[in-house]
Structure formats: C-alpha cells, structure tokens
Amino acid sequence: MNKNEYEIDFTKVGQKMKQMRMEQGVTQEKVAEDLECTVAFVSNVENSRTKLNLRVLLYYSKLCNMSVDSILAAGKDSESIENTDNDPMYDELIGIFKTFSPDERRKIIRMLKVWKGR
C-alpha cells in the first residue's frame, strides 16, 4: 500500500455532500438548523473552506441514507479502485458502472443490497 491510498480530496467530498443534500431537496438552512450551526458553516464545509467533522459527516450520511464510506469515496480517485482478485468481470463491472449517473448508481446499489439481503 502506498501513502496515496489513504489520502482523501475533501473538496470532492464537500461537493458530494452538497450534491446529495440538494438531491434530497434539503436547504443549507435546514442543515444548519438541525446541526445547530450557521448557514455559513454549512456552506464552508460543502465548499471545503473549513474542515469536515464527524458530526457533520454522520448527519449527511443519515440525511441521504448513504454510508460514511460512500461519501468519503467521493474524495478518492475512482481509478485507484483495484481488482485485488484479478477477476476479469470486476473490471468489466466497474467500467459499466461508471457509465451510469450518480442517481442511477445509488439505485443499482440499493437494488444489489436488497438482492443480497442486506
């Protein structure tokens, strides 16, 4: 493992959080009210002008019914996902998955979780 495997681009994470919030139809004002903070703080987190904290990350996770890992994955280079089993179908699956929109990807993931009984 190299050092870059642990690095997260929090600018991308903030963008992902903003996108998720907007897809849920939730305003920054509502987030600020729920978190008992200012709208400016919410904006600063979403635009990576202030550090993301665990409380905010957990709030967005619950708000959007998405795992913390999934949110943080937005800050990882998607090309760095490795096929550790050397399964040729893995690369094909990732290639196909990348062609879907974020909304379609969430639906596919939900469907797969139901299929697997999670």
Side-chain angles (χ1 to χ4, degrees):
M1 285 186 182
N2 62 40
K3 183 180 175 183
N4 290 339
E5 290 183 58
Y6 299 105
E7 292 181 14
I8 296 175
D9 182 346
F10 283 99
T11 300
K12 290 180 181 177
V13 173
Q15 291 169 349
K16 176 69 172 177
M17 291 169 54
K18 180 177 182 177
Q19 173 194 349
M20 291 171 18
R21 173 186 58 74
M22 292 174 72
E23 287 173 0
Q24 295 296 318
V26 176
T27 64
Q28 286 183 336
E29 289 80 7
K30 173 66 174 147
V31 173
E33 178 184 320
D34 290 349
L35 291 174
E36 299 178 345
C37 64
T38 65
V39 174
F41 174 78
V42 174
S43 176
N44 285 337
V45 168
E46 289 183 353
N47 292 292
S48 302
R49 291 186 295 259
T50 194
K51 290 185 180 179
L52 172 63
N53 64 51
L54 185 57
R55 182 171 163 255
V56 173
L57 185 59
L58 289 171
Y59 172 86
Y60 277 81
S61 173
K62 288 181 183 181
L63 173 72
C64 301
N65 194 26
M66 194 172 220
S67 73
V68 168
D69 287 345
S70 296
I71 297 170
L72 293 176
K76 292 260 189 191
D77 180 9
S78 61
E79 299 301 319
S80 69
I81 298 172
E82 295 179 23
N83 178 0
T84 56
D85 296 330
N86 293 317
D87 182 344
M89 288 189 292
Y90 179 90
D91 292 328
E92 181 180 3
L93 179 63
I94 294 298
I96 293 168
F97 191 72
K98 288 180 180 180
T99 66
F100 291 99
S101 71
D103 187 51
E104 291 170 326
R105 291 178 189 177
R106 278 189 288 285
K107 289 176 184 175
I108 291 167
I109 290 169
R110 281 192 296 254
M111 181 181 68
L112 290 172
K113 286 180 178 179
V114 168
W115 185 42
K116 289 299 283 182
R118 287 185 176 187

